[in-house]
Amino acid sequence: MVKTKFFFLIALLISCKIGTGKNFFDPNSPAGLGLLLLGSESVVTMEFSTNRVQPGGVMYVSTNHDFTTKTEGLKLPISGISDDPILKIIPRSKFLYEIRMNPSVTSGKFRINLKDYYSNESLLVNPESFDFEIDSEPPILELRTGNGIDISELKSGFLDIVSNEDIVWDGNLSQVSLSGTAKNTLVVSDVIASPRNIRLLFAGNPNSNGGILTISFVDIQDKASNSQGTLMLPINVYAFKSGPNLNVPRRSCVGVELDDGRRMVLGGKAKKDFMFYGNGALNHAEFYDSVAKNFVQAPDMVYRRQEFDAVKLLDGRIFVAAGLGDKNGTSNDGLTSTEVYDPITNIWTEGPQLTVPRLFHKMTVLPNGDVLVVGGMSPFKPIQSVGSVELVHITDNPASMTVEFIGNLSDSRGKHTQIFSKEAGKVIIFGGERSDVFGPLSNDFTPNALESIEIYDINTKTLSKSTAKLYKRFNHFVYGLKNGEILIFGGINSRFDNAQPVLRAQIYNPITDTIRDHKNLLFGREYGSSFVFPYGKDQIIVAGGLEYRTVNGSTFDSIQETESWSESNYRFYMTSRSLNARWDGCNIRYNSVGGGMIIGGRVGDILGNTEEYSFE
């Protein structure tokens, strides 16, 4: 049976924990606080997950200082050893870094001297140095389940922490301590210890924020009874927490994170109370200020849009195309217009016109910077799906951008998903809704979920149809996996009275053009939000959306329960509950740190509230 690895953080031996109390340099102590109040520079603290490292292994360091703002990132000066034992340092967040060790350095001791690193930074460091030993078989602790502790509704429970070898430990409550940015999240009430397992009984604070929680176990010995000192386990702590309200409540919007860290929500349809926006479609845009925790006005788009799409270009600009709306707010039309936002000049500029109006379409940025626009739906009944595929050639000046017609899909579609496969050099287009018009009246159309997969080859600029068959679905999710395969899940298989959720996930291989069935979702859903876990190159969380609860599909409800998918063990599992059940909103994925924000949407009425799922 594959070993469960919902936590990727590895706990090893460490004797370098920074304590609290009267330490003059400790920012948590009264003395340290006094320094800060007097205007002194902040104290840089670090906690390493071990002081015994494996050749080719991994250790982690958590810190209160953001090194991602430095051009060179986190640097760890090494002394005491001829060959550099550190192969690579990877930021997992602003305050957590993964350190990959050099497999060719198999023995020895070394020191990391931070005083030298900070000598020109005018920052206090405590401790100033850390000593490490390379050990081929150190004891390892890891959490048995989960990718982190979700405290959105946590009140009590237990954590099982397993060891890779027999350990000798008294298991007294006094031998357990908590530190890190989330140290106030849990209170450990009891400990049950065995040679291979430590169970912590705890009470939680559901109002706590997420963060990094380091659990320290004092005086643990390994199976050879060699004194090992303190073992530490850094754990991700996640939480859904309420965010600030939008200035303009909306649904059918688009969210995006800019390269400079600003987070932006665009367009959508306004709440009835905000009908001074004409037909309800919005050109209004807002920035989320993650420091002040509020939304502030951003430049309005040129066009009012809902059910549109937006992508971030390779140079950091935002490209927006089509949707439903207009320029002056007097009518709702299917749009062919495009526009570009420049975050440097803070200006929207009109771009070229697409050849076909469309909404519920999808766009993909190609490696050369161009944008592929695929499918969509016509704006009015009888609703007809769009089959055309167009390529927008991106230039520095939006006025000089051009649109190239590529061809028509074998099956016209909207509400589909698509993703670029770097390994195959192709854009893969999955499922969607096809609507065929058979008469002139508003209801003279037949909507059908598609099982077909279509492929755009970026080298030949041609479209082809895959031989693989999808479970019929639209309004679903798609994610690229580490191994180059593609995970498809969620959505529904039809519209109106016979709508049913698709629980079965599938995995597509773009190299072999084959698809296989995967595990089931716990909740069938469409119109939901999804994003990658904080720190997570391993997890996906899915929140919100609609679930159809009856056999004939006539009853549906928005979903509050969330679930996650782990690439380590290839399964879905329950995570927690979001603060609001909502659908048809938008989300901003925090690509820089993981997690994200769920924005607006509707539960009956259109919402203006937001919530974040993150560790910060």
Side-chain angles (χ1 to χ4, degrees):
M1 182 174 181
V2 178
K3 185 178 180 181
T4 304
K5 290 185 178 178
F6 304 117
F7 278 80
F8 71 89
L9 295 181
I10 300 176
L12 302 175
L13 171 66
I14 184 167
S15 59
C16 48
K17 179 179 180 293
I18 302 169
T20 60
K22 297 181 180 179
N23 184 344
F24 185 77
F25 294 99
D26 191 339
N28 296 307
S29 71
L33 180 59
L35 274 177
L36 297 177
L37 293 176
L38 290 173
S40 173
E41 295 288 340
S42 64
V43 181
V44 177
T45 61
M46 288 194 180
E47 288 181 348
F48 288 85
S49 62
T50 179
N51 69 347
R52 286 201 174 188
V53 295
Q54 290 179 303
V58 173
M59 67 174 173
Y60 295 86
V61 56
S62 61
T63 176
N64 64 340
H65 191 68
D66 181 6
F67 291 93
T68 61
T69 60
K70 300 174 67 66
T71 303
E72 66 274 24
L74 172 64
K75 293 178 63 178
L76 298 175
I78 301 296
S79 61
I81 193 169
S82 57
D83 296 325
D84 191 346
I86 295 178
L87 184 66
K88 193 174 185 180
I89 300 175
I90 303 172
R92 291 307 187 197
S93 77
K94 295 178 182 178
F95 308 110
L96 182 70
Y97 297 81
E98 176 184 319
I99 303 171
R100 295 185 181 179
M101 308 307 298
N102 190 340
S104 63
V105 181
T106 58
S107 63
K109 297 181 179 181
F110 62 93
R111 170 171 290 188
I112 294 177
N113 192 335
L114 298 174
K115 181 179 180 180
D116 296 340
Y117 181 73
Y118 288 105
S119 60
N120 297 321
E121 297 285 335
S122 300
L123 293 171
L124 299 174
V125 186
N126 183 54
E128 293 180 343
S129 64
F130 297 87
D131 293 317
F132 299 86
E133 182 177 351
I134 299 172
D135 185 348
S136 61
E137 294 184 1
I140 298 174
L141 295 183
E142 65 181 5
L143 217 62
R144 186 180 295 276
T145 58
N147 185 52
I149 305 170
D150 192 304
I151 59 172
S152 302
E153 291 194 347
L154 184 64
K155 294 182 180 179
S156 64
F158 64 87
L159 299 176
D160 272 339
I161 297 164
V162 297
S163 174
N164 67 321
E165 63 181 17
D166 287 350
I167 56 175
V168 179
W169 189 53
D170 294 337
N172 295 327
L173 191 60
S174 61
Q175 294 176 295
V176 180
S177 64
L178 308 179
S179 61
T181 59
K183 66 180 178 182
N184 296 323
T185 296
L186 301 178
V187 176
V188 179
S189 58
D190 201 0
V191 182
I192 302 172
S194 65
R196 293 274 181 139
N197 190 87
I198 300 172
R199 172 168 288 190
L200 301 180
L201 305 179
F202 60 83
N205 179 2
N207 296 316
S208 298
N209 290 330
I212 301 168
L213 177 67
T214 302
I215 305 176
S216 302
F217 304 93
V218 180
D219 295 331
I220 284 185
Q221 296 179 328
D222 68 3
K223 60 184 178 182
S225 296
N226 299 320
S227 178
Q228 301 294 333
T230 301
L231 282 172
M232 301 180 70
L233 183 69
I235 294 174
N236 305 329
V237 179
Y238 310 103
F240 274 109
K241 53 187 178 182
S242 180
N245 286 340
L246 294 163
N247 292 306
V248 179
R250 65 189 76 205
R251 67 168 178 86
S252 304
C253 48
V254 176
V256 63
E257 182 180 62
L258 304 179
D259 285 347
D260 60 16
R262 288 181 295 171
R263 289 145 185 176
M264 194 175 192
V265 56
L266 306 170
K269 184 175 178 61
K271 189 177 180 180
K272 292 178 181 178
D273 298 346
F274 289 79
M275 284 306 291
F276 55 84
Y277 285 98
N279 56 24
L282 294 169
N283 61 354
H284 185 271
E286 303 184 43
F287 287 125
Y288 171 54
D289 186 333
S290 59
V291 177
K293 300 296 182 183
N294 61 10
F295 281 93
V296 297
Q297 177 74 44
D300 287 343
M301 292 188 294
V302 178
Y303 283 79
R304 301 169 187 266
R305 302 176 190 270
Q306 65 186 81
E307 281 89 31
F308 64 105
D309 200 10
V311 291
K312 184 167 66 174
L313 303 176
L314 298 185
D315 60 10
R317 292 179 297 167
I318 305 302
F319 179 79
V320 172
L324 184 68
D326 69 356
K327 203 169 188 178
N328 54 30
T330 59
S331 63
N332 264 340
D333 297 315
L335 299 175
T336 59
S337 64
T338 68
E339 53 190 290
V340 177
Y341 171 71
D342 188 328
I344 297 176
T345 63
N346 206 30
I347 293 174
W348 288 96
T349 305
E350 283 197 64
Q353 297 286 322
L354 302 177
T355 57
V356 177
R358 60 185 86 207
L359 54 149
F360 296 116
H361 54 290
K362 293 293 184 293
M363 301 196 299
T364 299
V365 180
L366 304 183
N368 67 352
D370 290 344
V371 176
L372 187 73
V373 184
V374 178
M377 310 293 286
S378 63
F380 295 111
K381 294 182 178 180
I383 295 173
Q384 186 169 4
S385 49
V386 175
S388 74
V389 176
E390 302 179 74
L391 187 63
V392 182
H393 296 286
I394 302 298
T395 63
D396 293 338
N397 180 6
S400 66
M401 294 180 183
T402 58
V403 177
E404 178 185 359
F405 175 73
I406 295 297
N408 287 312
L409 299 167
S410 299
D411 293 309
S412 61
R413 69 191 71 205
K415 304 177 185 178
H416 55 284
T417 58
Q418 63 191 52
I419 188 171
F420 174 67
S421 167
K422 180 180 178 181
E423 292 76 11
K426 298 172 181 177
V427 177
I428 316 298
I429 304 156
F430 295 99
E433 181 180 307
R434 175 169 179 162
S435 180
D436 296 314
V437 173
F438 59 85
L441 301 180
S442 61
N443 290 325
D444 288 350
F445 65 95
T446 304
N448 294 291
L450 292 173
E451 65 180 4
S452 62
I453 301 170
E454 305 207 37
I455 300 167
Y456 173 74
D457 189 314
I458 67 170
N459 296 312
T460 62
K461 297 170 69 172
T462 56
L463 293 164
S464 61
K465 195 169 184 178
S466 169
T467 58
K469 299 295 184 182
L470 190 72
Y471 273 103
K472 293 181 179 181
R473 64 181 86 204
F474 59 90
N475 283 336
H476 48 289
F477 304 88
V478 64
Y479 269 93
L481 306 182
K482 292 177 185 177
N483 62 3
E485 293 186 316
I486 299 167
L487 174 69
I488 312 105
F489 59 97
I492 60 172
N493 65 1
S494 60
R495 180 57 71 200
F496 303 125
D497 289 341
N498 58 351
Q500 292 294 306
V502 180
L503 293 174
R504 175 64 65 178
Q506 294 176 281
I507 293 178
Y508 174 78
N509 187 316
I511 301 299
T512 61
D513 188 32
T514 56
I515 195 166
R516 65 183 186 274
D517 289 349
H518 187 45
K519 304 293 180 65
N520 278 2
L521 281 165
L522 305 179
F523 296 90
R525 65 183 84 207
E526 64 161 340
Y527 283 121
S529 297
S530 65
F531 33 79
V532 175
F533 261 95
Y535 318 133
K537 309 301 179 183
D538 185 52
Q539 310 282 111
I540 300 166
I541 182 169
V542 191
L546 284 179
E547 181 182 31
Y548 293 78
R549 301 181 185 274
T550 57
V551 174
N552 64 7
S554 60
T555 301
F556 57 86
D557 197 6
S558 49
I559 305 172
Q560 193 168 9
E561 289 80 8
T562 68
E563 57 189 295
S564 301
W565 184 82
S566 169
E567 191 166 349
S568 296
N569 70 337
Y570 272 53
R571 75 176 182 91
F572 293 94
Y573 61 93
M574 182 69 74
T575 307
S576 66
R577 304 184 78 197
S578 56
L579 303 182
N580 296 276
R582 70 179 82 211
W583 62 285
D584 196 20
C586 59
N587 54 261
I588 303 175
R589 292 172 180 165
Y590 298 172
N591 295 319
S592 56
V593 296
M597 172 175 276
I598 306 174
I599 299 168
R602 49 180 162 169
V603 183
D605 200 0
I606 295 175
L607 302 175
N609 58 22
T610 67
E611 56 189 285
E612 286 188 276
Y613 188 78
S614 68
F615 61 90
E616 293 183 321

